[in-house]
Amino acid sequence: MRHPFQCLQVCYVPGPPRGWILLAAAGSRINSFALSDSALLSTLDIGNLAAIQGNGSQSAQPTGYNESDQPPEGKPETSNQVATILTVTATRDFSNVAVVTGEDKCIRVFRLQGDGHLHLLSARSMPKRPCAIVITPDDSTILCADKFGDVYSLPLHTVPQPISGGTLAASSESQIPSAPRRFVPSANSLTVHTARNLRALENQLRTTNKPSEKTGPNFEHQLLLGHVSMLTDITYVKLDELMSPHGKPCSYILTADRDEHIRVSRGPPQAHIIETFCLGHKEFVSKLCIPHWLPTTLISGGGDGFLYVWSWAKGSVLQKLDMKLLVDEYISTHVLGGRDFTEQTYPTAEGLMFGRGSPGVGSEVGEGDTGQGDVRGGKGDEAAHIHKLVVSGIWSVSQAELGCLNGGEFQGGDILVACEGVSALFVFTLTMDSALIYRDSVPLEGNVLDVAIFSDGHSIVVSVDTLHERNSTNVARGPPKQEAAPLQVLSRSSGGSWSGDGTADQVEALNRQGSFEIKTGHNEPKLQALSDLFYKYQNLRKQEFEE
């Protein structure tokens, strides 16, 4: 089996011959594909870079460490566990890519070259493990949210700084601080006269000259704000004077944490000012999405299985949708062949809306239902093993990008939602008056891991889990089954529906290049480690003693 791609990012390289490039991360490796002809351009192994840097080194590598088309001899089949890639984020102009790795807590910035290769510019290890990052629209600053609850800002590019002698250092993180002056006591072994005093002298030398185990980052960074809980996602938005509640251009940082909070803070340099909170989730908040065509609206999802639509500047809920009802309907229709496995009746799309005056809706959706009930399937090959639904991904695609303009009038766009351990994408329409309307579910060959919008805007690339059974996070695919394709391409029809038709050749070519082969058996620690990488949100649930 091939290692699935846990992260996707689409970039555009101006001018022929490359055009659109897909960056797909599998374990510690990033594959670069040309979407024009589905050619594999390069393979970069972050694990090799981490080994070259060595412990504690944070300097950028010189030219030459661009990529490795094939893993070296003796390379283990699984990904390098000291540099598992968590996030791949590109700047707005696609010239640079920021990659976050987990175990070494490192943010690496690469330059995307015209031939699709990635050239390492800098590598900076953060004090705590980053959970999410975002790059500001001016492509100058990285905002990093970590598991300790803090948000740091650091420049995208390291700036040379003057050192003694008037020369310039290569980069702020490459400077090596001078060693502290060694403590030398006035007494020595010849001047002490008792065994007790000799032991005291030895202890003093051992403790006072002991090297510090922890040192702070030696690169430019700034602590902007902090939560009292682990952060799960971060987003950044800048409003003009017409949209800003203050009547002047202003930027904001929105952060989500494990304690069900969404905080709205001002952007730098006033990040210490809290504008408001968006409170309503009953479990941790896992994902935030602000559609770029409607920057005053926020869509959030979390461990309670609900989608919330907010007017985030006011901290008010506009709409609430129960994803569990949609997942139940999908499992019943597409997995169990129409066999209903629950007692409840599924409402229409309009009946799922909350606060919009839809027929038959007079209270919150799913009132009395926490959205955490079990979804039970049969005992077949595709039995559902979903418990306690989690929203794991929210993506926005505007109709302008899709070319769906009706008489020149902008109509809004699509919101794509994925749930952890569910083999489908759920498609919504977000109108210009912030109404979120459910349209359809798109069945896939495996559980959704990530989504990237690419090419002409009419298509998206979806990464799916090829190691586990559909709709399961812990059951491995059996050997007799046909291996699922790790990448699937969906196209949007003129009628607004998404399907996998029309790009079969392109998909086949991408998957044929694929990632590297791995061997996983049932219930092996190797498979469990991959499950923890792909399905990280269930571990955020609080135990009873934490409530």
Side-chain angles (χ1 to χ4, degrees), residues 187-220:
N188 57 57
S189 59
L190 299 178
T191 60
V192 296
H193 303 288
T194 65
R196 180 179 179 181
N197 289 343
L198 181 60
R199 288 195 300 270
L201 176 63
E202 292 173 348
N203 289 334
Q204 186 181 34
L205 289 173
R206 185 165 52 251
T207 57
T208 55
N209 289 318
K210 184 178 180 180
S212 176
E213 297 181 356
K214 292 186 178 181
T215 57
N218 58 351
F219 52 83
E220 181 182 353

Side-chain angles (χ1 to χ4, degrees), residues 267-442:
Q270 296 181 313
H272 59 281
I273 299 178
I274 300 175
E275 287 287 325
T276 187
F277 286 90
C278 297
L279 304 178
H281 282 281
K282 304 302 181 184
E283 288 268 7
F284 61 87
V285 183
S286 55
K287 283 297 176 181
L288 303 176
C289 176
I290 297 181
H292 55 271
W293 69 87
L294 207 58
T296 57
T297 299
L298 168 70
I299 303 171
S300 66
D304 55 7
F306 284 90
L307 279 183
Y308 280 78
V309 182
W310 307 85
S311 173
W312 57 262
K314 301 176 182 178
S316 59
V317 179
L318 301 178
Q319 193 175 341
K320 178 180 175 183
L321 292 92
D322 190 351
M323 286 300 300
K324 180 181 177 296
L325 298 178
L326 302 180
V327 172
D328 286 357
E329 183 178 23
Y330 162 74
I331 296 293
S332 177
T333 303
H334 297 281
V335 178
L336 302 179
R339 302 192 308 274
D340 193 358
F341 55 92
T342 65
E343 297 294 330
Q344 66 188 102
T345 301
Y346 301 108
T348 62
E350 290 78 8
L352 290 172
M353 300 180 65
F354 165 56
R356 292 287 173 186
S358 301
V361 177
S363 60
E364 292 189 1
V365 174
E367 186 174 1
D369 183 358
T370 62
Q372 299 178 12
D374 295 344
V375 180
R376 297 181 177 86
K379 296 182 179 180
D381 292 337
E382 294 181 347
H385 300 277
I386 305 167
H387 312 279
K388 295 187 176 182
L389 197 67
V390 180
V391 175
S392 58
I394 306 175
W395 301 270
S396 61
V397 186
S398 74
Q399 290 187 2
E401 291 173 335
L402 296 169
C404 299
L405 296 177
N406 184 13
E409 183 180 355
F410 186 66
Q411 299 296 316
D414 286 353
I415 300 295
L416 308 178
V417 178
C419 295
E420 193 167 81
V422 179
S423 61
L425 270 179
F426 298 90
V427 183
F428 299 81
T429 294
L430 182 66
T431 64
M432 293 304 294
D433 61 348
S434 301
L436 191 64
I437 304 172
Y438 173 65
R439 288 218 318 267
D440 195 10
S441 61
V442 183

Side-chain angles (χ1 to χ4, degrees), residues 52-72:
I52 292 170
Q53 287 171 223
N55 295 332
S57 174
Q58 299 177 21
S59 60
Q61 299 302 325
T63 303
Y65 293 107
N66 290 335
E67 54 90 19
S68 174
D69 290 334
Q70 297 294 333

Side-chain angles (χ1 to χ4, degrees), residues 247-278:
K248 60 180 180 180
C250 193
S251 60
Y252 301 88
I253 300 174
L254 281 72
T255 47
D257 65 23
R258 192 188 178 203
D259 284 342
E260 308 96 35
H261 300 146
I262 301 174
R263 181 198 292 188
V264 180
S265 307
R266 290 192 188 179
Q270 296 181 313
H272 59 281
I273 299 178
I274 300 175
E275 287 287 325
T276 187
F277 286 90
C278 297

Side-chain angles (χ1 to χ4, degrees), residues 222-239:
Q222 182 183 4
L223 177 63
L224 297 181
L225 58 93
H227 287 229
V228 294
S229 178
M230 171 183 175
L231 293 177
T232 56
D233 203 5
I234 182 173
T235 187
Y236 177 92
V237 62
K238 191 169 185 178
L239 301 181

